[in-house]
Amino acid sequence: MDLSLDQAEGYLLVRRVGAQSITLIDRELSSSFLLAPDKAIENWGVDDASQLDADHVGALLDLQPELVILGTGQRQTFPAAAFMAGFLRRNVGIEVMDNAAAARTYNLLAGEGRRVVAGFILLTP
């Protein structure tokens, strides 16, 4: 799925979502990663939403989001309640969706200047 959006100045946006990779403005990624408007953190060690627990919350909160978008692959899969609660306890919203919906939502919010952080889960071949 190709996304088209006018690029906001200085923001990293998603250009394309495929089954096994996601293309940002400047590169294609084929392993799970975290994305903030100002940086991408590659090789996020998560291959499946079921792996996420309270220990994974810190990596996302370190990016100081007001909202977290979690893309769980080609299908929406909810992680453990302990993972979700880690954000709610800190008054940070979290939404879980498939990667294509996560990319669209991330692009829209980042383009509006919101401090959104996305985690994209990609299966490594």
Side-chain angles (χ1 to χ4, degrees), residues 69-125:
I69 305 293
L70 179 63
T72 59
Q74 290 189 289
R75 294 198 171 124
Q76 179 186 40
T77 306
F78 286 93
F83 175 78
M84 302 290 284
F87 297 99
L88 300 178
R89 278 190 215 105
R90 291 168 181 87
N91 293 321
V92 173
I94 181 166
E95 296 291 333
V96 179
M97 51 195 78
D98 65 60
N99 281 348
R104 291 189 302 270
T105 304
Y106 170 84
N107 281 352
L108 177 69
L109 294 173
E112 291 176 349
R114 302 273 307 270
R115 186 65 192 170
V116 62
V117 170
F120 289 97
I121 297 174
L122 295 166
L123 296 175
T124 52

Side-chain angles (χ1 to χ4, degrees), residues 5-47:
L5 178 73
D6 293 334
Q7 181 179 352
E9 185 78 25
Y11 290 105
L12 285 173
L13 298 175
V14 177
R15 289 184 48 210
R16 183 176 188 286
V17 176
Q20 296 184 3
S21 67
I22 293 178
T23 304
L24 303 181
I25 295 299
D26 60 345
R27 63 187 166 266
E28 182 176 0
L29 301 172
S30 57
S31 62
S32 300
F33 65 98
L34 301 177
L35 182 62
D38 58 342
K39 67 175 133 184
I41 299 173
E42 297 182 42
N43 301 313
W44 184 37
V46 177
D47 294 325

